[in-house]
Amino acid sequence: MASVSIRNVRKSYGTVEIIKGVSIDIQDGEFVILVGPSGCGKSTLLRMIAGLEEISGGTVAIDDRVVNDVPPKDRDIAMVFQNYALYPHMTIADNMSFALRLKNTAKSEITAKVERAAGILGLGPLLGRFPRQLSGGQRQRVAMGRAIVRDPKVFLFDEPLSNLDAKLRVQMRTEIKEMHQRLKTTTVYVTHDQIEAMTMADKIVVMHDGIIEQIGAPLDLYDNPANMFVAGFIGSPAMNFIPGSIGGDGFTTEGGDRLPLGGRVPAASDGRPAVYGVRPEHFRLADDGMAAEVVVVEPTGSETQMVLRPLGAKAGREDRKRELTWVLRERTGAKPGEVVRIAPDPALAHLFNPDTGLRL
Amino acid sequence: MSRPLRKLLDKAGMAVCVLLLVSPALLFFIWMLSLSLKFEIDNGAYPPILIPDRFAWKNYTTIFEGNSFLLYFWNSLIVTGAATLFALVVGVPAGYGIARMKAHKSAVVIMIARMTPGLSFLIPLFLLFQWLGLLGTLWPQIIIHLVVTVPIVIWIMIGYFETTPMELEEAAMVDGATRWQIFAKVALPIAKPGIVVAFILSVIFSWNNFVFGIVLASRETRTLPVAVYNMLSFEQVSWGPLAAAALVVTLPVLILTVAAQRQIVAGLTAGAVKGG
Amino acid sequence: MSILTSSDRVVGAASVGRTKRLRPSYWPFVVPALIVVIGVIVFPWVFTLWMSAMEWRIGEEQRFVGLQNYARLFTDVRFLEAMLHTLVYTALSVLAPLVLGTAAALAFNTKLPARGLLRGIFVMPMMATPVAIALVWTMMFHPQLGVLNYLLSLVGIGPLQWVYHPSTVILSLVLVETWQWTPLVMLIVLGGLAALPTEPYESAQIDGATAWQRFRYLTLPMIKPFLMVAVIIRSIDALKSFDILYTITQGGPGTASETINLYLYSVAFTYYDIGYGSAIAVVFFVLIIMLSLILLYLRQRSAWNTGDGQ
Ligand SMILES: Nc1ncnc2c1ncn2[C@@H]1O[C@H](COP(=O)(O)OP(=O)(O)O)[C@@H](O)[C@H]1O
Ligand SMILES: [Mg+2]
């Protein structure tokens, strides 16, 4: 059990800066997920916490002890790797007990700990087998078991589910979450999958190009994204961004449609260009809404997803690229080619500065 | 052409192909065996006889009687065994270190060593051994065989350790292993097949080596290849015992080749190494 | 090699360089081997270079003579002839195994029955003890009693003098070298063939290419890097060839098959002219390195042409 404090951490390879000053505070027992697109530096940051990568600047502290120069084996952490990194020449039991054996732990204690972890993960019958005799999901569990047995201060996960098929991934997501609720070990978890982040995290850290875009609870990020990157990254299907400008008490799209702002007009912003952000599920049918042609209808059963092309009040200003996504709970008889009129819910919409991407 | 006929022809073509491929090797070794089992009369017969009426088993017994052959066999075992063992002891960790440090440039030394003719190592080392007073013992040969065995082992092990995933060692690092523990308990067990390959090739090329022995060996310290060569040049033996001796010398290697051909092929195509 | 693994390597490469404090140092693993390599490999190189500048005969006083030994090489007819023999021997000993080995590789690349065993037998010549097989070859070459002349007589040729006549000795030795080392070329080329993609062949078949055309325009260009590797290795080994030559002819008859390596042996260990021998060793060494570099350069180019870094 421990807190982790990352202060202004930097990492460069040669002259290329990969992590550009990152600070995160992780409380004791918290489940923190680093999420962001591939190559944004998540793994690098995690590996710096683990001690597998030298820290170029700033400090990493575990339980208030700066560990920059502490080798991995003395940090009291456990890590689950993307490809599991199971020792192929050891049985499952030996894989799980390797760290304990290195520390010359008593035999009886090792057996007890391995059995406990195997019990938690349902690995009991597999203990005598070798990794190559296990399925992907079982290997994944062994990798976790190896971490649990250590009873470390911090768990580190690097995209542990990305090698599993979709169904297994959902199942393992639940298992990891349950495991955390049971053990309450501080966890740092890396993924590029925002759904994984949303469903599992206590706290999400959204990274992009080596910086932190926003830190917050899952729903907080969903409801109050700090900028267009987070707004677009969190949520699926992604938020619609409609460029235009603020005018009067509303918003005028480039196509000339008027969108409501619900009285939340930022001060002194008349005529100012902005981006109107609205999630796909926050549109509704409205007689006075913007007219849009239905392009594609994709029913999934529980909901219907539609791609719409705004027709635009000003003729000739229609723009193919400005297609909108609309998700509605109800079933609909709408067919491609039909025209619908829709309006966003102004209370749930956001305005962004088109230059900085920040929310207004 | 009808289908069955076509198939038959294909099969026949294949059989001819196979025969053509292996006949040079096969016929040679069969002839070698034939020579070694014939009496002098049969070996001198024209036209040559492949399978004699009487087998000259005594060709094999004679070589073990008069010529200290057992001593030479023992010498070969010691030299090859020691040179291989020592090469594994220093070469396997070195291959590991070089692979992990990504010090590929250092492998150039190994490459050049591989290119250097064995004789050019012999001159300086011969003088050194003379100066050290080691000539007349097996030490000079054991040491100089390292010129062959160490590069083979290092070369093959670099290739092998490069293919073992770093993630495993990082996991061990996080699990609390020191670098020696990582090497001994994770890297080494995984590299076992590579060590087997290195061992086999090192043994074969050391066993076969001739040029070092011919300069460094005295009467008591000859290895088998040198001993066999000396049978040819100094003692007027007949073909039968000579062929028998040649077969005895190379038989261990041939057995190893057929038994471990998979490893040998893997090692040779990976490193394309050869000693001496 | 996929893009993925090669970039992984880059990633690892930099991380090892930068994490000196956290990561263990790997030097201790290398040090013992380094000592051995310096002792038995680097020291002989340096010492040879030094000796080559000396007048040095066993049992006599040594004296520094500078480049005199090297100058002597240019007027040494026996050395120049040895050089010529070496080049002829090497050229033929590269070419013949290359052609035969490639053909054998093509055969082995098909679905042969008992392929493993056949391959095992096929590689036996190169693994067998050279002295042992050289002895048998000597018997087979025998003009009166040898089986080779008998076989030739069956098809109405011969009898030949084989290694017992200056005009045929080198060719005969090349025959042995070819017999011995064709398997290595086969293995290298077979490795290349195994890595070939199948789609181009299927599409060529649809386009109606004959077997020869497929070989000429698809296989050959694609395995060129492997052929170059085979040429490099074969060249080095043929240049250094010793056991077979020494056992069968010792450079004879006369000096008709004396290569640089054999001459070097005579100078150093028959005449004990260590200084001069060292000079020959140095020149020989430079020759091998130069040839290797040229071939490596050519391989680099051929690798560029085929667009992979093999
Ligand atoms: N050793 C290295 N040398 C150079 N660049 C590296 C190295 N390791 C990672 N990078 C670069 O750092 C960036 C972040 O990598 P990584 O942390 O693995 O991203 P993520 O895990 O978020 O996908 C990538 O652009 C990658 O190319
Ligand atoms: Mg990553």
Side-chain angles (χ1 to χ4, degrees):
Chain A
M1 297 270 165
S3 63
V4 178
S5 147
I6 298 164
R7 285 267 160 275
N8 210 8
V9 161
R10 296 174 178 278
K11 174 74 186 177
S12 345
Y13 291 112
T15 57
V16 189
E17 195 161 49
I18 302 294
I19 306 285
K20 301 162 184 165
V22 160
S23 301
I24 310 171
D25 273 308
I26 299 165
Q27 310 301 323
D28 187 7
E30 216 171 13
F31 197 112
V32 171
I33 292 193
L34 306 179
V35 69
S38 256
C40 70
K42 309 175 298 281
S43 295
T44 308
L45 185 57
L46 193 76
R47 290 164 59 82
M48 286 195 283
I49 301 174
L52 295 172
E53 214 74 64
E54 187 90 347
I55 298 167
S56 308
T59 59
V60 170
I62 298 175
D63 261 351
D64 302 325
R65 167 182 170 227
V66 173
V67 293
N68 282 34
D69 297 335
V70 178
K73 67 187 176 69
D74 300 325
R75 292 192 184 194
D76 201 2
I77 45 154
M79 184 156 170
V80 175
F81 291 81
Q82 182 168 356
N83 300 312
Y84 319 137
L86 301 183
Y87 309 121
H89 56 293
M90 297 185 198
T91 62
I92 300 314
D94 286 345
N95 257 284
M96 288 170 57
S97 62
F98 185 59
L100 298 178
R101 283 183 287 135
L102 288 174
K103 277 190 276 186
N104 291 322
T105 313
K107 273 245 163 61
S108 55
E109 192 185 338
I110 292 181
T111 319
K113 282 189 167 172
V114 168
E115 265 165 16
R116 173 169 159 267
I120 294 177
L121 295 160
L123 289 172
L126 304 178
L127 284 177
R129 296 208 199 161
F130 285 91
R132 61 172 179 279
Q133 299 166 313
L134 303 191
S135 69
Q138 290 169 329
R139 285 181 206 180
Q140 173 58 53
R141 261 186 223 124
V142 175
M144 277 163 39
R146 200 164 63 177
I148 294 175
V149 164
R150 301 264 316 275
D151 202 6
K153 282 183 179 166
V154 184
F155 279 150
L156 304 175
F157 290 85
D158 192 353
E159 311 225 11
L161 304 185
S162 59
N163 285 347
L164 301 179
D165 63 48
K167 200 169 163 198
L168 207 51
R169 208 178 305 161
V170 174
Q171 184 192 333
M172 289 308 297
R173 217 153 73 189
T174 320
E175 280 191 28
I176 294 177
K177 190 74 192 153
E178 275 173 11
M179 180 184 100
H180 178 252
Q181 271 154 11
R182 185 164 168 175
L183 302 172
K184 300 253 182 319
T185 308
T186 313
T187 302
V188 185
Y189 183 110
V190 161
T191 178
H192 65 266
D193 179 355
Q194 55 95 19
I195 295 185
E196 236 169 86
M198 292 295 285
T199 50
M200 297 170 77
D202 294 329
K203 185 155 92 185
I204 295 181
V205 178
V206 182
M207 289 184 62
H208 180 216
D209 269 350
I211 58 159
I212 291 179
E213 295 281 357
Q214 190 173 3
I215 301 180
L219 291 179
D220 194 32
L221 294 188
Y222 189 82
D223 293 336
N224 302 304
N227 52 45
M228 277 175 76
F229 179 81
V230 175
F233 191 80
I234 302 286
S236 166
M239 184 183 276
N240 294 299
F241 292 120
I242 309 168
S245 57
I246 302 166
D249 60 347
F251 179 88
T252 310
T253 69
E254 284 181 347
D257 285 312
R258 294 283 293 168
L259 299 176
L261 286 174
R264 293 189 306 138
V265 186
S269 54
D270 225 27
R272 183 174 162 184
V275 174
Y276 192 96
V278 55
R279 295 206 179 269
E281 60 271 31
H282 296 155
F283 282 116
R284 57 183 168 75
L285 281 172
D287 293 338
D288 59 346
M290 61 198 286
E293 183 191 332
V294 178
V295 182
V296 179
V297 182
E298 295 172 341
T300 62
S302 62
E303 52 182 37
T304 307
Q305 189 170 328
M306 260 191 250
V307 177
L308 306 172
R309 185 180 304 137
L311 295 177
K314 292 184 206 154
R317 292 292 306 269
E318 93 181 88
D319 185 344
R320 293 191 132 264
K321 276 181 248 162
R322 305 252 180 266
E323 284 174 347
L324 301 177
T325 316
W326 179 23
V327 172
L328 58 166
R329 273 319 124 59
E330 313 85 53
R331 305 209 167 169
T332 167
K335 298 223 158 33
E338 279 177 26
V339 172
V340 295
R341 284 188 166 273
I342 54 168
D345 183 342
L348 299 172
H350 308 283
L351 280 179
F352 299 99
N353 180 330
D355 301 321
T356 61
L358 293 179
R359 192 156 59 106
L360 295 173
Chain B
M1 206 173 349
S2 69
R3 260 178 171 272
L5 188 64
R6 172 109 204 206
K7 261 199 177 149
L8 207 69
L9 274 180
D10 271 359
K11 275 225 172 102
M14 193 78 92
V16 170
C17 219
V18 167
L19 225 66
L20 272 177
L21 276 177
V22 294
S23 59
L26 210 53
L27 291 180
F28 177 91
F29 289 106
I30 288 174
W31 188 245
M32 189 172 182
L33 186 66
S34 163
L35 284 171
S36 76
L37 284 175
K38 284 185 290 196
F39 285 102
E40 201 52 18
I41 304 251
D42 291 336
N43 270 331
Y46 193 93
I49 300 167
L50 180 61
I51 305 172
D53 297 330
R54 300 169 306 144
F55 290 111
W57 299 111
K58 79 161 189 26
N59 288 345
Y60 285 89
T61 49
T62 40
I63 55 171
F64 283 101
E65 276 160 13
N67 295 290
S68 331
F69 220 68
L70 278 177
L71 171 69
Y72 302 145
F73 202 94
W74 179 245
N75 288 344
S76 262
L77 266 184
I78 297 282
V79 170
T80 293
T84 298
L85 216 65
F86 192 75
L88 287 177
V89 168
V90 301
V92 173
Y96 177 72
I98 292 172
R100 287 291 169 259
M101 289 196 285
K102 310 271 164 184
H104 298 279
K105 297 231 170 67
S106 64
V108 169
V109 178
I110 308 294
M111 276 286 287
I112 300 179
R114 161 80 176 69
M115 294 181 202
T116 315
L119 269 174
S120 45
F121 295 112
L122 256 173
I123 305 173
L125 288 178
F126 174 76
L127 294 176
L128 182 72
F129 294 139
Q130 200 176 39
W131 183 68
L132 291 173
L134 288 175
L135 292 177
T137 68
L138 282 177
W139 283 110
Q141 292 187 77
I142 294 174
I143 293 171
I144 204 164
H145 273 235
L146 296 178
V147 170
V148 176
T149 56
V150 169
I152 288 179
V153 173
I154 295 183
W155 190 258
I156 287 177
M157 293 321 293
I158 290 176
Y160 218 86
F161 282 118
E162 270 177 350
T163 60
T164 60
M166 196 59 204
E167 217 181 40
L168 280 180
E169 291 181 28
E170 288 179 341
M173 230 179 267
V174 173
D175 270 347
T178 65
R179 64 183 159 191
W180 300 109
Q181 286 172 323
I182 293 173
F183 176 66
K185 298 189 174 176
V186 177
L188 213 50
I190 295 172
K192 221 183 273 167
I195 298 175
V196 171
V197 171
F199 172 80
I200 292 173
L201 289 182
S202 171
V203 163
I204 290 179
F205 287 122
S206 170
W207 182 271
N208 284 349
N209 188 284
F210 169 64
V211 63
F212 295 146
I214 199 158
V215 173
L216 293 176
S218 63
R219 211 179 154 71
E220 266 66 54
T221 58
R222 276 177 204 155
T223 53
L224 278 181
V226 181
V228 161
Y229 174 78
N230 280 358
M231 277 176 74
L232 171 76
S233 50
F234 297 122
E235 298 152 50
Q236 273 305 320
V237 274
S238 46
W239 282 14
L242 200 54
L247 198 62
V248 168
V249 170
T250 195
L251 201 61
V253 175
L254 292 185
I255 291 171
L256 199 58
T257 302
V258 176
Q261 60 103 0
R262 192 190 301 263
Q263 281 86 350
I264 289 174
V265 167
L268 285 175
T269 39
V273 276
K274 176 188 163 241
Chain C
M1 187 187 293
S2 73
I3 293 166
L4 217 154
T5 58
S6 62
S7 72
D8 275 358
R9 275 165 191 241
V10 173
V11 169
S15 68
V16 169
R18 310 228 143 248
T19 54
K20 282 190 192 96
R21 274 174 303 165
L22 289 181
R23 292 291 185 98
S25 156
Y26 291 100
W27 270 107
F29 292 98
V30 183
V31 167
L34 196 65
I35 293 169
V36 172
V37 167
I38 288 175
V40 299
I41 294 175
V42 177
F43 156 74
W45 285 339
V46 177
F47 197 46
T48 302
L49 206 59
W50 185 63
M51 286 185 300
S52 74
M54 309 284 279
E55 165 95 42
W56 186 324
R57 280 168 207 277
I58 297 240
E60 291 176 25
E61 277 296 300
Q62 299 120 34
R63 121 190 119 80
F64 185 81
V65 292
L67 294 177
Q68 211 167 296
N69 283 328
Y70 292 93
R72 198 173 134 196
L73 285 173
F74 290 99
T75 54
D76 185 345
V77 177
R78 200 164 152 195
F79 173 76
L80 295 175
E81 272 178 9
M83 192 103 147
L84 187 70
H85 296 153
T86 307
L87 292 181
V88 172
Y89 180 80
T90 301
L92 294 174
S93 300
V94 171
L95 217 62
L98 192 70
V99 173
L100 294 174
T102 306
L106 289 172
F108 267 107
N109 199 36
T110 58
K111 287 192 194 68
L112 289 182
R115 211 177 116 186
L117 178 71
L118 290 181
R119 199 174 53 179
I121 296 172
F122 193 78
V123 300
M124 266 161 53
M126 69 188 240
M127 305 314 281
T129 310
V131 175
I133 58 175
L135 283 182
V136 177
W137 276 104
T138 311
M139 300 177 197
M140 290 176 27
F141 280 139
H142 196 281
Q144 283 84 47
L145 304 176
V147 70
L148 288 181
N149 270 346
Y150 168 71
L151 290 177
L152 282 186
S153 75
L154 292 183
V155 289
I157 311 177
L160 297 180
Q161 291 297 303
W162 300 103
V163 292
Y164 297 93
H165 195 276
S167 65
T168 49
V169 60
I170 288 190
L171 281 177
S172 305
L173 291 169
V174 167
L175 175 69
V176 180
E177 179 98 13
T178 303
W179 175 84
Q180 198 188 358
W181 290 110
T182 295
L184 185 64
V185 178
M186 188 281 283
L187 288 181
I188 295 169
V189 177
L190 192 60
L193 289 176
L196 291 186
T198 54
E199 284 97 349
Y201 288 89
E202 287 159 1
S203 106
Q205 217 152 7
I206 292 168
D207 289 345
T210 63
W212 166 250
Q213 285 170 325
R214 289 201 297 270
F215 173 72
R216 173 69 190 79
Y217 297 107
L218 289 176
T219 310
L220 204 54
M222 284 196 280
I223 60 169
K224 205 165 148 199
F226 292 88
L227 292 179
M228 287 307 296
V229 171
V231 169
I232 293 173
I233 290 170
R234 206 66 280 293
S235 306
I236 295 169
D237 289 346
L239 280 172
K240 300 196 316 179
S241 187
F242 180 84
D243 297 6
I244 294 280
L245 302 182
Y246 185 83
T247 311
I248 299 181
T249 69
Q250 291 207 339
T255 57
S257 63
E258 189 171 69
T259 59
I260 302 180
N261 217 4
L262 288 177
Y263 184 48
L264 169 56
Y265 178 83
S266 299
V267 170
F269 296 109
T270 309
Y271 312 137
Y272 288 110
D273 191 346
I274 302 290
Y276 189 48
S278 298
I280 296 176
V282 170
V283 169
F284 191 27
F285 180 72
V286 169
L287 193 76
I288 293 178
I289 298 290
M290 257 168 34
L291 186 85
S292 309
L293 286 180
I294 292 171
L295 290 172
L296 272 175
Y297 168 76
L298 288 177
R299 187 182 84 124
Q300 210 85 354
R301 273 209 350 204
S302 77
W304 269 108
N305 290 341
T306 51
D308 74 357
Q310 267 304 327

